[in-house]
Amino acid sequence: MRGRRTSGAVRPDDIRQHNLSLVLRHVHRDGALTRAELTQRLHLSRSTVGALVGDLAQLGLVEEVVPSGGERVGRPSHVVAPHAHGPYAVGIDVDIEHVTVAAIGLGGTIIAREVLPTSPEVTPTDLVALVAGALTGLRTTVGAASRVCGIGASVPGTVDLSTGRVGVAPNLGWEDVPLGEMLEDVADGVPVVVGNDADLAVLAEHQRGNARDCDDVVFLMGRIGVGAGIIVNGVPVRGRDGHAGEIGHNVLDPTGPPCHCGKRGCIETFLGENALLGLAGRPSRRTDTEVADLFNDARAGQREALRAMGAAAESLGRCIADLLNILNPERVLVGGTMAELLDLARAEVEAAVERYAFERSHPGVELLLPAFGADSALLGSGEIAFTALLADPR
Ligand SMILES: [Zn+2]
């Protein structure tokens, strides 16, 4: 959100677009702001900000309202807020047993959501058909006054961001799936963007959550699989093919259990949901309940469950230590099922980080839970869906 330097001749029209984009980004990220706050932040004149706000209001993107609540002396000052009936993004979070489809307003507010049960065997075609039905449902719920400006989808797999093609989503059994194109076929001309779940989770947390004031952050997402979303110096790190952060397949122990990727002893075989169940001597998951039961048993002091948590906490600490050594972040957010593991066994996780991280790379690093709980990836999918509108609000 820093000012952009341009060289050569700049047309007044470009400046106007740039400034409209700036105002809308600030309101989108920070919620309601007074004109005075916008003037101060953007280093523009009061009259320029007034004109920009007027344009955005005419476009139906913002509205000026009197904030509710709080006793105020004198005339209440209006704030510039996302328009209540402004355009919304559709966020889609594809998980192993369900898909969540939500209408997300400017400002990152979830207006409506549908959670549809699926299964690990769901085919891309079946999933897209489910999403198509949910899109129709959401349009009815939100009402015809608002339009959809973009669709973003989060997938637990590798994604080519430019094409929306899923390279591999191992826990869904998907390989080389043109998900972006398939969703476009049911999107009525609305643009579609697809991203990796951890990459999108870190985006949402950096925008408005527990990493909003922090430019070096890693989001470690652990559900069945384990992956990291990375922001370095404020910029998302995706790598050449979008595979950066696939830490779940770093080998912890080459003599360890076989991994679905073909190697042995990957982090995922010690830390994913099935790994947790296996450590407690339980069969692999069929539904979300087995993992929830395991956590409940651990909290109740059941011995095998606690032993499994201890072993997984050690692996989580090692995994975080690797990330600290390579990236030296200021914060690590732990999400998915691993958030619950961190919550339950924080002391063990921190002790393992202490043991395995390079001495200089970990002092002061904060291990946090995501601000948005299980919704980080969903909200991140909304963020990428807003990208085009935020770049050019006209
Ligand atoms: Zn592996």
Side-chain angles (χ1 to χ4, degrees), residues 3-145:
R4 187 177 58 180
R5 277 185 191 282
T6 48
S7 57
V10 181
R11 292 179 304 149
D13 202 42
D14 291 342
I15 296 172
R16 188 152 195 81
Q17 178 189 329
H18 175 68
N19 286 341
L20 284 170
S21 165
L22 265 185
V23 172
L24 191 60
R25 278 174 202 279
H26 276 265
V27 173
H28 175 57
R29 177 175 165 143
D30 297 330
L33 295 166
T34 63
R35 284 191 186 198
E37 283 169 323
L38 283 166
T39 304
Q40 198 184 18
R41 284 175 178 217
L42 305 178
H43 307 291
L44 295 169
S45 71
R46 280 174 58 183
S47 61
T48 305
V49 166
L52 292 167
V53 168
D55 282 0
L56 290 173
Q58 200 136 50
L59 289 162
L61 299 172
V62 302
E63 58 187 337
E64 291 192 84
V65 291
V66 177
S68 55
E71 285 293 310
R72 280 170 181 263
V73 180
R75 211 158 65 104
S77 71
H78 285 66
V79 289
V80 181
H83 198 291
H85 299 293
Y88 65 94
V90 170
I92 302 168
D93 183 21
V94 181
D95 202 352
I96 308 300
E97 256 118 29
H98 54 264
V99 56
T100 307
V101 185
I104 302 170
L106 276 166
T109 315
I110 296 179
I111 303 164
R113 76 163 85 202
E114 284 200 37
V115 182
L116 305 160
T118 61
S119 78
E121 289 81 36
V122 70
T123 65
T125 308
D126 291 345
L127 185 100
V128 170
L130 278 175
V131 169
L135 289 175
T136 311
L138 281 182
R139 273 193 203 108
T140 312
T141 312
V142 177

Side-chain angles (χ1 to χ4, degrees), residues 149-163:
C149 66
I151 297 175
S154 158
V155 181
T158 62
V159 178
D160 180 338
L161 204 65
S162 61
T163 61

